[in-house]
Amino acid sequence: MTALPVPDAQPGAQPGPSLGAFPGAPSADLVAALQRAESADPFAVLGPHRLADASPGWALRVLLPGAVQVSAVTPKGALLAPLRCVTGSDLWCGVLPASETAPDYRLQIDWGTHQSRLDDAYRFGSQLRETDLWLLSEGTHLRPYEALGAHPLDVGGVGGVRFAVWAPSARRVSVVGSFNSWDGRRHAMRLHPASGVWEIFIPHVAEGDLYRFELVGADGRLRLKSDPYANRAELRPSTASIVQRLPAGVASSPLRRRANALDAPISIYEAHLGSWRRGPDNRWLSYRELAAQLVPYVRDMGFTHIELLPVQEHPFDGSWGYQPTGLFAPTSRFGSPEDFKHFVDTAHAAGLGVILDWVPAHFPTDEHGLAQFDGTHLYEHADPREGFHPDWQTLIYNYGRREVRNFLIGNALYWIERFGIDGLRVDAVASMLYRDYSRKEGEWIPNQHGGRENLEAISFLRRMNRAIGIERPEAIMIAEESTSFAGVSRPPSDDCESGGLGFHYKWNMGWMNDTLRYLARDPVHRSFHQDELRFSLVYAFSENFMLPLSHDEVVHGKGSLLRKMPGNDWRRFANLRAAYGYMWGHPGKKLLFMGNEIGQWGEWNAEAQLDWPLLEREPHAGLQRLVRDLNLVLRHHPALYQRDVSGDGFEWLRHDDAASSVLAFVRKAGGDAPPVVVVSHFTPEVRHGYRIGLPQGGQWESLLNTDDAAYGGSGVSPGPLQAEAVPWDGQPQSLVLTLPPLATLMLRPAGGPLPVDFSALIASEAATEGTDARP
């Protein structure tokens, strides 16, 4: 139960005796330091202390601003000793009866307006284990969030909260909150010097109470800081942390490990929770409402995973979560941590994985956050050439400091172990890898070898990915990395000093840029730029790639994907449908940002929901049906996913027909799984009598045609698909077909496992009524 309100300090206590009248009295300087909230070691003065002289009993000292009468009583309320106030201070002193150990006492306090009986925080010893302190000081504590932060505990039958924070250079740290009138004198913490951790157990504090850390920094300046390890935070613009019990651990899941494997079908729907859909009056949907609406939508669309833009607490809506101040707290915009856990559990129950965007590259300069946390550059570099990000006006973590690495690695594990998150997409990895990222000559400091690589960040990424691989092998780590840095998705070595970075996947930014550049060209010019499409296959298996058409491609004046396409409306839709077919056929896991599946005309606007009324128009509804069917084809054809990261799963059929703007290739899987032939045609002409090679003979069938009338296309059929014993394109068989305009075909040997009637398949798989994937 939360303690009764404590009033602000005010005159009222009767003048007491001088300091020297009390047995075992502290010095006047110590009392003055307590009174000014400047004591570096309040536990040395406050609480029960055995009298050093021959006097029997225990000296009891408590600092209670605003009290008018104080007594020490037994747990049942019997008087142990009256306490008297030292003249000119808020310090109350008395002598408890003699005993081997300090008597079990409570404080009976008259505040003038009411009375309360409280436990004294200063009668409790440290509640941190020596092992935790040792691992924290070493920077090897895999779960620092279990030791630091605010944790409800029961100590000897007394309920309360243990607070702990790393602030090694602070002169004084206090917990202030709704339970002590935000008064830094009342609950000053003890310092564990070897680790730089400050700690206190405060009785009667409960879940839901607001708190902050009040620090006197190394520079003498007073700061109010949110808890870096808080599990919950106030909704902006308020910045207090909220006492919240850790979520129960989530067991490692072999099922999720299989669903996240390199040879599994992975198609990701990237979503911003604040703007996917909105409620009445344009309000945000809650985590629970999103669980009831977004999860079934993504499932019925055939995606395998949902990727969420950062849900960690952040002060500025316009950052979309990419400038977080509360890495351990699901944002309160959409509800409580329990609500967020419900969202994840609902997704898993629907067979969907959940991936979070995660930002260890930088953090904002907000006063309540990590910046100059203890009056020093604790989490960030002191030199702005290393510690300040010119692009985002943010601060850069000091990856060379073991406690900072510990903070970030522990946070990555926290989301996986405590919420069951399937993986993290690590934002802005390129900015971490290079010291000269977005900097001019003279604005950066070379590494110890004179190079531009950030060796400390590289070491951190390897350590992090190695720790997650060992502790939670079912989770996947994804790098948004836009350079040619080698080995991003290759394993790190045992000593973490060489080898790859250890990610499972890397976003293929080259494929994205080249493909969108090609598609933006008028078809009459595409024959001169065929390399923009085929170049990605030169390096497609040098990393484990993910093909992203993400939120970054539809903001900041870039236009929506549909607007990027040239020509009239029909051609725009046809181009986009052909592009999606090519993307789903291309090696690599898939990622599509919300709204791209319905063909939004406008750019993404984070302050409003998607333009769902567009689905009342057939071209948009047809595009949505195509994306759903592409996902179903992908999930039911191992040739399209099993060897995404292996060159033996891909073979060119036609890459040199630039005059016709045609690309054709075979996707293959192991065992008896049938191959899939993909043919993409990027001109608006209908091409009759077009011959392509085939890896085997017999009858073939159209698995998917993006020009199908069901998708809003012209309905041109590729015609009868009977293979002939005519070698072509390096294959033993071939066939002649009709190429629909601006379309991608997927062909397979006849008699495969997937019904051509996609709507019937959806009806059999979906848990909800109907086949309509609209929200």
Side-chain angles (χ1 to χ4, degrees), residues 266-326:
I266 293 180
S267 178
I268 301 169
Y269 187 76
E270 187 189 33
H272 176 253
L273 293 182
S275 59
W276 176 74
R277 198 179 188 193
R278 295 233 172 168
D281 301 322
N282 201 37
R283 69 166 176 83
W284 294 312
L285 297 183
S286 69
Y287 290 123
R288 291 183 180 270
E289 290 173 314
L290 288 160
Q293 298 181 42
L294 175 59
V295 167
Y297 175 78
V298 175
R299 177 200 60 204
D300 295 347
M301 282 294 295
F303 290 95
T304 63
H305 293 69
I306 305 174
E307 180 174 321
L308 304 180
L309 272 62
V311 300
Q312 295 83 9
E313 195 58 80
H314 52 282
F316 177 47
D317 293 353
S319 76
W320 313 328
Y322 288 99
Q323 294 194 14
T325 52

Side-chain angles (χ1 to χ4, degrees), residues 359-414:
V359 188
H362 60 116
F363 59 92
T365 59
D366 296 64
E367 178 66 24
H368 69 280
L370 298 180
Q372 290 195 319
F373 191 83
D374 64 351
T376 69
H377 297 280
L378 188 61
Y379 286 87
E380 71 272 28
H381 289 278
D383 191 322
R385 293 174 296 174
E386 296 182 284
F388 185 75
H389 222 307
D391 284 355
W392 304 306
Q393 303 293 295
T394 51
L395 300 173
I396 299 172
Y397 287 103
N398 182 352
Y399 305 107
R401 188 159 193 169
R402 60 183 182 270
E403 297 92 344
V404 174
R405 292 196 303 265
N406 207 169
F407 170 73
L408 292 171
I409 294 172
N411 183 251
L413 277 171
Y414 167 79

Side-chain angles (χ1 to χ4, degrees), residues 72-86:
V73 299
T74 67
K76 293 184 177 181
L79 180 66
L80 282 174
L83 276 65
R84 293 179 293 173
C85 186
V86 176

Side-chain angles (χ1 to χ4, degrees), residues 204 223 268 527 532 587 663 712:
H204 311 296
R223 290 171 169 83
I268 301 169
S527 62
E532 289 177 341
L663 291 176

Side-chain angles (χ1 to χ4, degrees), residues 13-96:
Q14 295 299 316
S18 64
L19 193 59
F22 296 100
S27 70
D29 288 343
L30 287 176
V31 174
L34 288 170
Q35 194 68 29
R36 297 193 303 268
E38 294 177 355
S39 174
D41 189 10
F43 279 84
V45 182
L46 300 176
H49 293 268
R50 191 184 297 274
L51 290 170
D53 54 23
S55 303
W58 294 75
L60 175 61
R61 312 179 195 105
V62 293
L63 190 73
L64 294 170
V68 297
Q69 187 173 347
V70 182
S71 298
V73 299
T74 67
K76 293 184 177 181
L79 180 66
L80 282 174
L83 276 65
R84 293 179 293 173
C85 186
V86 176
T87 299
S89 77
D90 296 299
L91 184 69
W92 294 77
C93 300
V95 177
L96 300 177

Side-chain angles (χ1 to χ4, degrees), residues 647-701:
D648 60 0
F650 175 89
E651 184 178 4
W652 277 118
L653 296 177
R654 186 71 58 81
H655 62 78
D656 55 356
D657 189 3
S660 302
S661 297
V662 171
L663 291 176
F665 50 84
V666 183
R667 297 295 310 278
K668 297 176 283 187
D672 297 329
V676 173
V677 168
V678 180
V679 185
S680 290
H681 174 218
F682 291 105
T683 75
E685 302 176 31
V686 178
R687 297 189 184 276
H688 299 282
Y690 196 90
R691 184 177 292 274
I692 61 167
L694 293 175
Q696 65 186 66
Q699 185 70 36
W700 285 63
E701 64 183 347

Side-chain angles (χ1 to χ4, degrees), residues 491-775:
S493 65
D494 288 342
D495 63 6
C496 296
E497 298 301 329
S498 60
L501 294 183
F503 286 95
H504 298 89
Y505 298 102
K506 170 180 172 172
W507 273 19
N508 195 335
M509 309 296 282
W511 170 89
M512 178 272 298
N513 282 308
D514 289 346
T515 300
L516 292 181
R517 186 181 304 112
Y518 177 87
L519 292 169
R521 300 183 188 280
D522 190 286
V524 73
H525 301 303
R526 287 175 177 171
S527 62
F528 303 104
H529 300 279
Q530 187 91 331
D531 281 344
E532 289 177 341
L533 284 189
R534 62 188 176 189
F535 180 65
S536 62
L537 273 304
V538 173
Y539 60 87
F541 310 106
S542 62
E543 300 275 5
N544 303 333
F545 280 119
M546 187 169 284
L547 309 183
L549 290 176
S550 74
H551 67 279
D552 280 330
E553 315 322 317
V554 293
V555 291
H556 300 321
K558 296 176 185 177
S560 68
L561 291 189
L562 192 60
R563 287 287 185 192
K564 296 179 196 294
M565 304 298 114
N568 59 24
D569 288 357
W570 189 94
R571 288 193 177 187
R572 288 179 190 270
F573 278 98
N575 265 298
L576 193 54
R577 291 192 302 266
Y580 286 166
Y582 168 70
M583 174 181 176
W584 260 255
H586 192 289
K589 308 306 181 185
K590 324 303 176 192
L591 180 141
L592 192 67
F593 183 57
M594 65 180 198
N596 290 335
E597 81 277 16
I598 65 174
Q600 288 221 145
W601 286 107
E603 283 192 336
W604 169 49
N605 176 10
E607 300 303 319
Q609 69 174 9
L610 300 181
D611 196 1
W612 295 112
L614 289 174
L615 290 175
E616 301 303 320
R617 304 177 188 177
E618 190 48 42
H620 298 276
L623 182 65
Q624 185 193 49
R625 284 194 289 271
L626 171 66
V627 172
R628 176 197 62 190
D629 290 353
L630 283 168
N631 281 329
L632 291 171
V633 168
L634 173 73
R635 292 170 64 174
H636 288 82
H637 283 77
L640 290 172
Y641 64 79
Q642 192 178 82
R643 294 177 175 174
D644 265 331
V645 300
S646 172
D648 60 0
F650 175 89
E651 184 178 4
W652 277 118
L653 296 177
R654 186 71 58 81
H655 62 78
D656 55 356
D657 189 3
S660 302
S661 297
V662 171
L663 291 176
F665 50 84
V666 183
R667 297 295 310 278
K668 297 176 283 187
D672 297 329
V676 173
V677 168
V678 180
V679 185
S680 290
H681 174 218
F682 291 105
T683 75
E685 302 176 31
V686 178
R687 297 189 184 276
H688 299 282
Y690 196 90
R691 184 177 292 274
I692 61 167
L694 293 175
Q696 65 186 66
Q699 185 70 36
W700 285 63
E701 64 183 347
S702 177
L703 180 60
L704 186 140
N705 174 4
T706 66
D707 188 52
D708 195 297
Y711 306 137
S714 59
V716 173
S717 169
L721 300 176
Q722 177 64 48
E724 304 171 5
V726 177
W728 204 262
D729 295 330
Q731 304 295 317
Q733 301 278 329
S734 61
L735 64 78
V736 175
L737 76 167
T738 297
L739 293 182
L742 294 171
T744 292
L745 300 172
M746 289 186 179
L747 313 177
R748 64 165 184 185
L754 181 68
V756 178
D757 184 355
F758 297 114
S759 62
L761 180 65
I762 293 172
S764 68
E765 288 191 345
T768 56
E769 289 187 358
T771 62
D772 192 354
R774 303 176 193 184

